[in-house]
Amino acid sequence: MALVLRCLRPLPSLLHRSSFAMARGLPRAPRACPALLLEGCRQCAQQMLLSRQLATKKAKGKGQSQAKVSISAALVEDIINLEETSEDMQAVIEALKEDFSRNLNVRTSPGALDHITVVTKDGKFPLNQLGQISQKSPQLMIVNMTSFPESTAAAAKAIRESGMNLNPEVDGTVIRVPVPKVTREHRESLAKLAKQSTNKSKEALRKVRNKSITQVKKFKSKVSEDTIWLLEKQIQQMADEAATEMDKLLAAKTKELLG
């Protein structure tokens, strides 16, 4: 008897919440659920959580701010892996950081040439796999193509088209790469390249977002519209946060390049 009384004690509060949800047109807990009294109804808990999340929808009136949506990944793991989506978006950000660090520096170094892609008849290869790169002086870098002489012309072309403002000179199997002076024009050129790289990264980010949303829409016939809406909102929110981080990286890099 005491056990029954303890289970019935929270019932008025739960009924009040269910009535409140119905008044707002939100999902309500199923009636007469015995598990609700004894051990808790998982379905009820999920619906109540989604009801609270649904209340964060963007207000349609002017001047009202948009609330942040936060969905438990465990509740929707059968629909989509949100952690994997987050990791894919973070990978795009990390790739942009790596590009900024490796390729967009005011002072060109031998390491900046390492991963320039050279197109040969046998495929695409990083420059450092085809030639030995060294710095002869602060104003001159050397790429020795003795090991792959047939790729010398392709390597010179790749360096010239790398967007690093380099004008290589071929001497047999040796490519001489004069290091340009740090002019205002060169700084501005690098800043433009940083902007282009950021735009490419944002395009890659949109592909991750679109792939995830497409995955969610496959379950339209299996779950409620509210659940689909919440997941799409969550994915868009994650993409917006990633794009904001990219903009911050670009602003910092632009400031560094322009001085």
Side-chain angles (χ1 to χ4, degrees), residues 103-109 162-167 178-194 257-258:
N103 301 322
L104 297 175
N105 295 298
V106 175
R107 296 286 181 183
T108 304
S109 64
S162 65
M164 298 172 65
N165 193 33
L166 300 175
N167 188 25
V179 178
K181 293 181 179 180
V182 183
T183 62
R184 185 66 184 178
E185 182 181 0
H186 180 51
R187 289 177 180 272
E188 291 175 351
S189 176
L190 290 175
K192 288 180 181 179
L193 288 175
L257 293 172
L258 296 180

Side-chain angles (χ1 to χ4, degrees), residues 55 143 168 232 255:
V143 182
E232 290 180 353
K255 184 178 179 181

Side-chain angles (χ1 to χ4, degrees), residues 94-105 107 109 111-112 253 256:
E94 293 302 320
L96 179 62
K97 289 180 181 179
E98 180 70 13
D99 183 41
F100 280 179
S101 175
R102 177 180 294 164
N103 301 322
L104 297 175
N105 295 298
R107 296 286 181 183
S109 64
K253 193 64 181 180
E256 172 194 326

Side-chain angles (χ1 to χ4, degrees), residues 4 6 38 43 55 57 59 70 87 90 94 99 112 114 125-126 129 132 139 153 166-167 172 209 211:
V4 173
R6 282 198 298 270
L38 297 179
Q43 181 181 1
K57 277 189 175 182
S70 180
E87 290 172 359
Q90 190 60 40
E94 293 302 320
D99 183 41
D114 285 351
F125 301 92
Q129 290 186 11
Q132 295 180 335
Q139 287 77 40
L166 300 175
N167 188 25
R209 179 203 62 189
K211 179 182 177 182

